[in-house]
Amino acid sequence: MSYEEKLDWLFRQLPMFSRVGQAAYKPGLERSWALARHFGNPQDKWPSIHIAGTNGKGSVSHLIASTLQSQGYKVGLYTSPHLVDFRERMRVNGTMIPKDAVERFIDRWRAMADEYPDKPSFFELTMMMAFTWFADEQVDYAVIETGMNHFGEIEYLGAMVRPDIAVISNIGDAHIEYLGSREGILKAKCEIFEHLKADGVAILNGDDALLDTVTLPQRIVRCGQSEHCETRISDIVDHGVDGITCTVTTARDTYALTIPAPGEHMAYSASMAVAVGEELGLSREEIVRGVAAYEPTGSRMRVIRLPGGRVLLDDCYNANPQSVTAALEVLGRTDCERRVAVLGDMGELGDLTDQAHFNAGALAAMLGIDFVIAIGSKAARIADGAAMSGGDVVHFATKEEALPTVREQLRPNTSMLIKASHSMRFERLTEDLRKYYD
């Protein structure tokens, strides 16, 4: 069988989302433990760092991986969701899982599939694919990023990996539609501690008011600008699309960091990488070098330079009110002749939906963004907010309708932000513009 034929067989075994909805992805712990036993319990073969949070968990994950990789460690990175190819979820030292490793896993699964009348979900199988590959590659550490939108999902993955270090980047409004309130979101994120090892450590955003209420039997390291933070951020300097510099001070040392990614919020991600690096015994030079080696990937505020002084701020991996605010602030501080924001629907905001979209449009206008392109049914309120705040804005129902205007607005010496929830698939706009202007 070819690679494509094996993939087709694998996906035909899975519960179909169109037929059973959320259950297509819903994990079952007993089923997963049984699956893990069949594959030799690969999750027990490496120490793990488990990361959750509303915003920034991706950059935290990649910064931690970058810091460890730059010192010669072999690091497995498991993230979710993916944009185009499910293999994006699984990387070792930055390299996506190769097709031959996927085929080997499918072959092993085919040999035992008949023993599982209750078929594993897509999440369970891709998780086990990643873990078996990490074990085969003999990784030194695994960095596990967990997204979620329902209670129990973070606890499930924590039960599987039993982390040595647990990290929460912050608590925002994403998924509030399903979790009810920010307090509900905090409760769901804190599931990450239920299987943290007794001698493990929790690393938290110390400037987040909700996370500041967390108490644990394990040791806690708080990162932020507040005086009570053990890992203290100061001297943040914004260098636009070239990134930021800052100082991070701990009881052990002081770190002058250069972070090659835009946005002052990246100082928090870097401070958490410092905290993890210290926990794992890295030197100051190793941590500084590792943070500087960070490269944004997967449409997470990725800077793409095109001919004619055109700059794309590709941040279409996902969106919620807090991340849109941060992205618009980055665009507003970008040194260029024109600034354009292409903004789409933000999902799972429940009763906050209308006001959150309106506020995003209003903020774009107040920041002096020259032109706003709002795309999607919910994004109509982005257009309303921008227009009522004096901004120049146009609204389209679909990406296809918007594309000619998006292309036209990316004029020479223009910086353009592209951001929406994952379900809007705005990466297609990014790829079109790259091909159109490159």
Side-chain angles (χ1 to χ4, degrees), residues 306-323:
L306 297 171
R310 297 173 174 89
V311 175
L312 285 180
L313 300 178
D314 174 19
D315 201 29
C316 63
Y317 180 81
N318 221 333
N320 57 60
Q322 291 77 27
S323 68

Side-chain angles (χ1 to χ4, degrees), residues 153-201:
E153 293 173 350
I154 290 176
E155 191 273 337
Y156 160 80
L157 194 47
M160 291 299 297
V161 300
R162 298 187 297 281
D164 300 86
I165 299 174
V167 182
I168 302 183
S169 58
N170 59 23
I171 304 296
D173 294 322
H175 315 306
I176 201 167
E177 179 177 357
Y178 300 122
L179 299 171
S181 65
R182 279 202 174 192
E183 289 71 20
I185 295 168
L186 174 67
K187 180 180 178 182
K189 302 296 186 189
C190 285
E191 292 172 1
I192 199 171
F193 305 127
E194 293 187 20
H195 300 280
L196 178 63
K197 290 177 181 174
D199 60 348
V201 60

Side-chain angles (χ1 to χ4, degrees), residues 3 7 82-89 96 99 425:
Y3 173 75
L7 272 190
H82 60 273
L83 287 174
V84 180
D85 187 335
F86 78 95
R87 294 186 301 137
E88 297 168 28
R89 294 169 177 252
M96 196 161 58
K99 290 182 177 180
R425 304 305 300 269

Side-chain angles (χ1 to χ4, degrees), residues 32-320:
S32 294
W33 279 124
L35 193 64
R37 286 193 293 273
H38 271 280
F39 282 96
N41 288 315
Q43 74 282 358
D44 293 337
K45 297 180 180 178
W46 24 259
S48 63
I49 303 152
H50 193 185
I51 300 158
T54 302
N55 302 304
K57 59 184 176 291
S59 59
V60 172
S61 302
H62 284 81
L63 266 165
I64 291 171
S66 172
T67 302
L68 292 171
Q69 287 163 208
S70 69
Q71 312 320 316
Y73 291 112
K74 184 176 279 192
V75 182
L77 178 63
Y78 179 70
T79 63
S80 65
H82 60 273
L83 287 174
V84 180
D85 187 335
F86 78 95
R87 294 186 301 137
E88 297 168 28
R89 294 169 177 252
M90 313 162 222
R91 298 176 186 271
V92 169
N93 282 12
T95 300
M96 196 161 58
I97 183 172
K99 290 182 177 180
D100 62 342
V102 175
E103 290 190 78
R104 286 196 301 272
F105 177 85
I106 294 174
D107 290 341
R108 292 172 69 180
W109 170 239
R110 279 173 62 90
M112 67 176 72
D114 289 343
E115 301 176 33
Y116 289 84
D118 181 17
K119 299 302 182 189
S121 67
F122 172 81
F123 180 85
E124 290 170 305
L125 273 182
T126 53
M127 174 193 68
M128 197 53 56
M129 183 184 297
F131 291 179
T132 55
W133 182 48
F134 293 170
D136 290 344
E137 290 291 310
Q138 298 182 315
V139 301
D140 298 300
Y141 296 99
V143 178
I144 312 294
E145 174 202 341
T146 307
M148 66 91 211
N149 56 16
H150 287 78
F151 291 111
E153 293 173 350
I154 290 176
E155 191 273 337
Y156 160 80
L157 194 47
M160 291 299 297
V161 300
R162 298 187 297 281
D164 300 86
I165 299 174
V167 182
I168 302 183
S169 58
N170 59 23
I171 304 296
D173 294 322
H175 315 306
I176 201 167
E177 179 177 357
Y178 300 122
L179 299 171
S181 65
R182 279 202 174 192
E183 289 71 20
I185 295 168
L186 174 67
K187 180 180 178 182
K189 302 296 186 189
C190 285
E191 292 172 1
I192 199 171
F193 305 127
E194 293 187 20
H195 300 280
L196 178 63
K197 290 177 181 174
D199 60 348
V201 60
I203 296 173
L204 307 180
N205 183 330
D207 293 341
D208 187 294
L210 284 174
L211 285 174
D212 237 11
T213 66
V214 172
T215 59
L216 297 169
Q218 294 94 340
R219 189 161 50 88
I220 296 176
V221 175
R222 288 187 161 86
C223 305
Q225 299 182 66
S226 303
E227 290 185 4
H228 70 279
C229 293
E230 294 89 353
T231 301
R232 184 88 178 273
I233 303 167
S234 62
D235 305 323
I236 301 175
V237 180
D238 193 323
H239 301 281
V241 296
D242 293 324
I244 68 168
T245 53
C246 69
T247 300
V248 172
T249 304
T250 71
R252 195 184 89 179
D253 216 327
T254 297
Y255 303 83
L257 300 179
T258 298
I259 307 157
E264 292 186 6
H265 58 279
M266 289 299 297
Y268 286 87
S269 300
S271 69
M272 292 176 179
V274 169
V276 171
E278 285 196 343
E279 292 297 324
L280 298 179
L282 272 60
S283 70
R284 171 166 40 113
E285 293 73 19
E286 289 170 336
I287 291 172
V288 169
R289 187 165 60 245
V291 169
Y294 168 72
E295 294 182 11
T297 60
S299 297
R300 303 173 194 253
M301 195 49 82
R302 181 174 52 144
V303 178
I304 302 171
R305 300 182 186 275
L306 297 171
R310 297 173 174 89
V311 175
L312 285 180
L313 300 178
D314 174 19
D315 201 29
C316 63
Y317 180 81
N318 221 333
N320 57 60

